[in-house]
Amino acid sequence: MAEVRVERTEDGFQAVNARGAKVAIGDGDAEGVFTPVELLLAALGGCELVTVEPLTAQRGHRMARLAATVQADKVATSTLGTITVTYDVELPEGDEKAGDVLKAVAARVHERYCTVGEALREPKKVVQVV
């Protein structure tokens, strides 16, 4: 089971996991915090990259740089449009197969193996208990 606690702090909100990691959350006007939508985008990019990286490395193709920019526009109040994940990669020097391996692995991860991406594509039931 995945679980985080979100709580109000003296200067905003924070998410805390059982391992003690904390992320500051606020609105788009607050400095030094993520908005909830930014966290959603970070979760998608993080999910893809932490899944792609070991799979390409296991195949002998560790990328010199592996990053992604994740973007989405609000198309209406409380509604995001298409979310785009754009990879920023530096291939390992002298590795002619790395690009093809990366593209194949990244496509499979995007379509089938990123839990966050799957949750965004397929409607999930969200229950609130107050």
Side-chain angles (χ1 to χ4, degrees):
M1 169 185 274
E3 179 178 295
V4 297
R5 178 175 172 81
V6 179
E7 56 193 16
R8 188 184 67 222
T9 64
E10 290 182 18
D11 55 353
F13 295 86
Q14 71 178 0
V16 181
N17 69 15
R19 296 174 307 285
K22 297 177 182 177
V23 177
I25 304 170
D27 63 27
D29 296 328
E31 292 293 319
V33 301
F34 283 92
T35 68
V37 171
E38 290 168 339
L39 288 173
L40 177 74
L41 300 178
L44 177 60
C47 183
E48 288 204 11
L49 292 185
V50 302
T51 308
V52 165
E53 199 284 327
L55 293 173
T56 55
Q58 287 171 4
R59 289 163 176 74
H61 308 282
R62 183 164 168 75
M63 303 302 128
R65 181 182 65 250
L66 181 60
T69 300
V70 186
Q71 299 173 301
D73 290 323
K74 273 195 172 180
V75 296
T77 302
S78 302
T79 305
L80 292 178
T82 300
I83 300 172
T84 304
V85 180
T86 304
Y87 277 68
D88 176 15
V89 178
E90 181 181 337
L91 299 174
E93 203 171 306
D95 186 344
E96 295 177 13
K97 295 181 180 181
D100 291 337
V101 170
L102 173 67
K103 286 179 185 177
V105 168
R108 282 193 306 276
V109 166
H110 182 77
E111 292 301 320
R112 292 189 296 246
Y113 298 111
C114 173
T115 304
V116 175
E118 190 277 333
L120 289 169
R121 280 189 296 279
E122 298 296 325
K124 300 289 178 234
K125 184 176 185 178
V126 178
V127 177
Q128 179 187 54
V129 179
V130 179

